[in-house]
């Protein structure tokens, strides 16, 4: 089955710096890769996703890149702000396998003012 | 308002006392799922359902049961809770299809088993 590894487990940056979180997956058939953000005491919420036919996707200060050959994908946050502080989860799933959305263990991002 | 509602939000119980955590969604989603969240372990799937009367095991189904008698409801049942089931539980729902629809999570249910 699919296995998703996420690194680092914690990340601390200064406000205005960039943050990068990396995930690797094991199942070459995986083709959908979402990222969820969970603020302290809140529920996870989707912030961006990417399909395997796309190498990069951007949404304002957030971008996700995908390397299918190496089976890894990354979340990039530029010009970080204190409100970016949260736990971020990557996930991977296969077409037709809605139930097999496998999450990484999460990265706790702290943005220091 | 589109939402996933879980109850109870907080519960302290004792070993062996059966309990049910309810989950209801008002978005007409086919897919529903239960996750548990533990420090350092992320979100682990317990059970999921693709439609009414269709359920399947996730990664950590031991000690849990589910049912899907109606499209909107997906209760999680702990027949004989044990302390290792102390956790934060999330119910989630989405539309089916490709790519998989966005997962909408409930607010979470924090369970403590003494």
């Amino acid at each position: 089955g699919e296995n998703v590894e996420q690194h680092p487990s914690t990340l601390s940056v200064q406000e205005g710096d960039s943050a990068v979180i990396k995930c690797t997956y094991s199942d070459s058939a995986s083709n959908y890769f979402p990222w969820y953000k969970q603020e302290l005491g809140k529920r996870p919420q989707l912030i961006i996703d990417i399909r395997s036919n796309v190498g990069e996707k951007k949404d304002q200060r957030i971008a996700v890149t995908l390397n299918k050959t190496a089976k890894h994908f990354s979340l990039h946050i530029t010009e970080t702000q204190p409100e970016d502080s949260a736990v971020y989860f990557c996930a991977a799933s296969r077409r037709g396998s809605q139930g097999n959305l496998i999450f990484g263990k999460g990265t706790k991002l702290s943005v220091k003012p | 308002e589109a939402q996933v509602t879980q109850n109870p939000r907080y519960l302290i119980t004792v070993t062996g006392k059966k309990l049910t955590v309810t989950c209801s969604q008002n978005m007409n989603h086919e897919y529903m799922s239960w996750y548990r969240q533990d420090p350092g372990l992320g979100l682990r799937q317990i059970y999921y359902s693709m439609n009414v009367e269709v359920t399947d095991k996730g990664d950590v189904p031991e000690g849990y049961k589910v049912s899907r008698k109606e499209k909107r409801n997906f209760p999680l049942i702990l027949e004989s809770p044990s302390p290792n089931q102390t956790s934060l539980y999330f119910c989630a729902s989405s539309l089916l299809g490709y790519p998989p629809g966005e997962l909408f999570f409930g607010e979470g249910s924090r369970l403590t088993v003494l």
Side-chain angles (χ1 to χ4, degrees):
Chain A
E2 176 64 279
N3 183 50
V4 178
E5 299 282 342
Q6 184 171 349
H7 299 279
S9 57
T10 61
L11 179 60
S12 182
V13 299
Q14 289 294 134
E15 183 177 359
D17 287 350
S18 295
V20 180
I21 302 169
K22 299 180 179 179
C23 289
T24 59
Y25 60 98
S26 60
D27 188 348
S28 56
S30 289
N31 54 14
Y32 175 67
F33 308 92
W35 287 87
Y36 283 78
K37 175 184 180 182
Q38 185 181 29
E39 297 176 356
L40 187 63
K42 302 286 183 64
R43 72 191 84 187
Q45 290 187 294
L46 179 71
I47 55 171
I48 195 168
D49 57 17
I50 192 169
R51 288 189 251 177
S52 61
N53 59 348
V54 176
E56 183 176 4
K57 184 176 179 180
K58 289 183 180 180
D59 183 2
Q60 299 182 347
R61 296 185 297 108
I62 292 173
V64 58
T65 58
L66 172 65
N67 184 324
K68 286 191 296 181
T69 303
K71 290 192 284 188
H72 67 71
F73 56 110
S74 300
L75 178 70
H76 305 254
I77 306 174
T78 58
E79 300 172 21
T80 54
Q81 301 167 4
E83 51 264 39
D84 294 329
S85 296
V87 177
Y88 292 82
F89 293 99
C90 63
S93 79
R94 289 183 296 157
R95 182 188 182 102
S97 297
Q98 190 99 355
N100 287 347
L101 186 65
I102 303 300
F103 285 89
K105 293 183 178 179
T107 296
K108 183 177 181 181
L109 173 64
S110 300
V111 180
K112 299 180 178 179
Chain B
E1 179 189 355
Q3 58 186 359
V4 178
T5 304
Q6 296 178 225
N7 280 296
R9 296 284 317 282
Y10 302 92
L11 179 63
I12 300 174
T13 189
V14 295
T15 299
K17 186 176 181 181
K18 181 180 178 180
L19 68 92
T20 299
V21 186
T22 63
C23 174
S24 181
Q25 51 91 6
N26 63 359
M27 295 170 278
N28 202 35
H29 286 166
E30 302 93 347
Y31 177 82
M32 298 186 75
S33 183
W34 277 102
Y35 295 88
R36 62 178 286 175
Q37 184 176 15
D38 302 288
L41 297 178
L43 292 161
R44 293 182 293 167
Q45 190 177 51
I46 303 170
Y47 269 96
Y48 64 94
S49 171
M50 296 285 202
N51 213 330
V52 175
E53 303 292 1
V54 179
T55 63
D56 211 343
K57 296 178 181 179
D59 295 321
V60 288
E62 297 78 17
Y64 304 95
K65 287 175 60 177
V66 293
S67 68
R68 187 91 181 272
K69 294 185 171 63
E70 302 168 284
K71 195 173 186 178
R72 62 182 294 127
N73 296 323
F74 191 45
L76 179 69
I77 303 158
L78 285 73
E79 292 273 3
S80 182
S82 61
N84 64 10
Q85 293 179 298
T86 292
S87 187
L88 176 60
Y89 292 86
F90 285 101
C91 179
S93 72
S94 76
L95 291 171
L96 280 176
Y98 178 74
E102 174 181 353
L103 269 178
F104 289 88
F105 286 84
E107 292 186 315
S109 296
R110 185 167 293 282
L111 170 66
T112 300
V113 183
L114 302 175

